[in-house]
Amino acid sequence: MRIFRMVALAAVAVLALLLLSPLAFWAYNAISVREGPYVNANRALLAGVSPFPGSRQLRIDSSPYYEPDEELFARKLGYTTNVVYTVPRPTSQTEVAHHYDLQLRGWKATREWIPCSRLDSAKPCPGTLLAAWTKGEASLSLNLDGFDIPGGEPKTYELVVDHRGAVQP
């Protein structure tokens, strides 16, 4: 009889855990950011800058990012909104970055050139310009990876926007 009570008590505990887990998960995620308002704020920031002249938008999407170093119950910290554009040839990486420099006056700009190296050829290859701007909590960055690869058609760049990206880990 005593074993039956222990098994019944364990079964009730497991059942309670199974029933309460979704509620706990919902409560934990309730303190995460909400996609709609966050992405709308990103798009409002994006609306304040115009694409490089002659470019054409290929796609726009938003993706969440989570607390670092958390695996099971990582809380959403925010969303990045990414827009990919094609640009007319000939256009250089520095021309695209300069276009955004002019629009983002008053923002803190950072630049870094990443050299290219090829293992399969002794031919020189172009480096990649990393450009980013921050103002208050907002961040905007330019992804020009692969922009100047010979024969790379079409030339594209990605604009990454996060209205709270400058203060996230």
Side-chain angles (χ1 to χ4, degrees):
M1 193 65 153
R2 184 168 189 187
I3 291 177
F4 177 74
R5 277 190 191 165
M6 289 174 51
V7 169
L9 187 59
V12 167
V14 168
L15 183 62
L17 183 63
L18 289 174
L19 292 174
L20 293 176
S21 290
L23 180 63
F25 187 70
W26 173 84
Y28 186 77
N29 277 314
I31 61 174
S32 293
V33 297
R34 297 281 177 230
E35 180 178 7
Y38 202 102
V39 170
N40 289 341
N42 285 352
R43 287 184 181 231
L45 181 61
L46 187 60
V49 293
S50 62
F52 186 81
S55 64
R56 187 173 53 86
Q57 181 179 318
L58 293 180
R59 68 180 174 277
I60 183 168
D61 57 50
S62 297
S63 303
Y65 55 92
Y66 299 85
E67 287 178 312
D69 303 324
E70 294 290 329
E71 291 185 24
L72 184 58
F73 290 109
R75 188 171 55 95
K76 272 185 237 164
L77 295 178
Y79 290 81
T80 59
T81 299
N82 306 358
V83 189
V84 177
Y85 297 98
T86 61
V87 295
R89 290 198 178 266
T91 303
S92 71
Q93 294 181 60
T94 53
E95 287 176 298
V96 175
H98 181 68
H99 169 76
Y100 287 100
D101 279 335
L102 294 176
Q103 294 186 75
L104 298 169
R105 289 185 184 177
W107 289 56
K108 180 183 176 192
T110 58
R111 295 276 187 288
E112 183 178 355
W113 276 98
I114 306 297
C116 174
S117 61
R118 286 189 181 155
L119 299 176
D120 63 339
S121 174
K123 295 178 186 175
C125 58
T128 298
L129 173 63
L130 300 179
W133 298 264
T134 58
K135 185 175 185 179
E137 295 183 339
S139 70
L140 190 146
S141 59
L142 195 54
N143 179 358
L144 294 155
D145 187 33
F147 191 83
D148 285 329
I149 293 176
E153 294 287 341
K155 279 191 170 198
T156 62
Y157 73 92
E158 180 180 38
L159 200 56
V160 181
V161 177
D162 186 347
H163 77 280
R164 290 194 30 86
V167 295
Q168 300 293 7

